[in-house]
Amino acid sequence: MAAPTQPTPAPPAAAGANGDAAFRLGFVGAGNLAESIARGVAASGVLPASAIRTAPHRRPERGAAFASLGARILASNAQVVDDSDVIVISVKPQIVKQVLVELKPLLSEEKLLVSIAAGIKMQDLQDWSGQRRIIRVMPNTPSAVGQAASVMCLGEKATEKDEDRVKSLFSAIGKVWTAEEKYFDAVTGLSGSGPAYIFLAIEAMADGGVAAGLPRDLALGLAAQTVLGAATMVSETGKHPGQLKDQVTSPAGTTIAGVHELEKGSFRGTLINAVVAATTRCRELSKN
C-alpha cells in the first residue's frame, strides 16, 4: 500500500466534536516539542488548557512553560498517567524504554499511548509498555511555529476514535498524514531532517544575495519569504512543483540562467542523496 499523497483532513475539535467529550491529555516529558503541541492544542481550542497535564521537569522553566498555558502540573509521571486519557510519550529516545517499563504497571487498554520519540518502533513500544493501544507519530521541528509535517501509524488496538483524537491534536500544529510504519525511516529522512536542508538553502540564497550586492538583513528576509511563498504555492495550488517552476522560467531569462547553474551543481541529485542518506542513517540507528 502506498503512503497517501495528501494529508488526511483533520476531524472537528475533540472537545465536544461529534458527541465526543473532552478528554484529558498528559505529557510524559515536558520538552520543547511537547510544549509546542500543548500550545497548539490549547490555542486552537481542540482542548482547554485545563485538560492538559504534565509532571515537573529537571529544568524548572519547562514546567513553568506548561503552567503558563494553564496546564496542570502534577507531582509525578505516575500521576500524569493516572489522570489522563491520552498519554504522549515525549521523552528523549534513549530513555523511552526506562520510562515505559516504570509506568507499565499503571497502564491499561483504557488509555491511549502516543509516542513522538524518533526511531522507537511500534514493536518496542508494545513490548516495553505491555500495551497494544498505541499510536506512533513523527512530527518535525516547524511544530514550534504551527507548521509541522506529522506522520502517524496505528497500533493493532488503536481505534478510529483514537485516530481522530490524535489527528485533532497534531492538526493543531500543522498537517498530518497517516502511513504504515515501514515508511517511517524515509519520513525521518525527508520531513524529520528536511528542515535542516531548507535552512541551508535559505542561508545559501541569502549569501548569494549578499554576493550580488544586497544588505544582509534584506537578503535573508527575501530568501526566507521566497521559500515560504514557494512552499505555500505547492501546498495550496496542488500543482506539481515542476509546473510551477516552468511558469516562472521565461525563455532566455534570469530564472533559467539560475536553474542552469543549479543543474550543473547537481542540486536536485544532492537533495535526493541527502534524503536517502538520512533515511539510511535512521535505519542504522533503529537497529541499535
Side-chain angles (χ1 to χ4, degrees):
M1 180 192 303
T5 56
Q6 294 294 327
T8 309
N18 301 320
D20 182 18
F23 55 92
R24 296 166 300 170
L25 175 65
F27 288 89
V28 175
N32 292 326
L33 181 52
E35 181 193 346
S36 295
I37 298 168
R39 285 190 180 280
V41 166
S44 66
V46 170
L47 287 176
S50 60
I52 301 171
R53 55 264 292 116
T54 192
H57 193 273
R58 59 182 175 79
R59 290 185 291 149
E61 66 270 18
R62 295 280 79 237
F66 271 79
S68 71
L69 298 174
R72 294 185 62 192
I73 310 300
L74 304 181
S76 65
N77 286 333
Q79 288 191 14
V80 172
V81 170
D82 184 62
D83 197 41
S84 302
D85 302 302
V86 178
I87 302 153
V88 180
I89 305 300
S90 48
V91 297
K92 293 185 181 301
Q94 57 266 33
I95 64 170
V96 170
K97 180 178 182 179
Q98 173 189 337
V99 168
L100 287 179
V101 169
E102 289 176 356
L103 295 176
K104 185 175 181 177
L106 306 173
L107 299 172
S108 71
E109 293 292 354
E110 295 178 354
K111 298 180 183 294
L112 171 64
L113 288 183
V114 178
S115 172
I116 60 173
I120 307 297
K121 296 191 179 299
M122 183 70 73
Q123 186 61 57
D124 289 328
L125 296 169
Q126 293 177 163
D127 291 345
W128 300 336
S129 68
Q131 301 301 310
R132 296 293 183 270
R133 191 181 168 201
I134 301 175
I135 294 180
R136 182 184 172 195
V137 186
M138 179 66 194
N140 62 2
T141 55
S143 59
V145 292
Q147 293 295 333
S150 301
V151 181
M152 56 187 283
C153 68
L154 278 60
E156 59 189 62
K157 288 194 175 181
T159 66
E160 184 177 343
K161 183 177 181 179
D162 293 337
E163 183 179 9
D164 287 346
R165 282 181 166 180
V166 174
K167 283 177 186 172
S168 72
L169 296 175
F170 285 87
S171 292
I173 57 165
K175 293 187 177 182
V176 186
W177 287 258
T178 300
E180 297 175 47
E181 190 180 31
K182 66 182 181 181
Y183 296 115
F184 267 47
D185 289 334
V187 166
T188 301
L190 176 54
S191 61
S193 301
Y197 315 153
I198 304 306
F199 296 149
L200 282 174
I202 291 171
E203 182 184 31
M205 289 172 64
D207 284 347
V210 172
L214 293 177
R216 169 64 65 181
D217 57 346
L218 176 59
L220 184 57
L222 288 174
Q225 184 62 31
T226 298
V227 170
L228 174 62
T232 302
M233 287 184 71
V234 172
S235 180
E236 295 190 359
T237 67
K239 293 181 178 180
H240 190 280
Q243 182 181 0
L244 293 171
K245 179 262 297 178
D246 288 348
Q247 290 176 358
V248 74
T249 308
S250 303
T254 60
T255 304
I256 192 61
V259 168
H260 187 201
E261 288 300 313
L262 291 174
E263 294 290 6
K264 286 196 293 185
S266 301
F267 179 72
R268 288 189 294 179
T270 300
L271 281 178
I272 292 169
N273 289 341
V275 173
V276 172
T279 300
T280 300
R281 182 58 179 155
C282 185
R283 288 176 180 149
E284 293 171 352
L285 292 173
S286 295
K287 292 176 182 177
N288 296 327

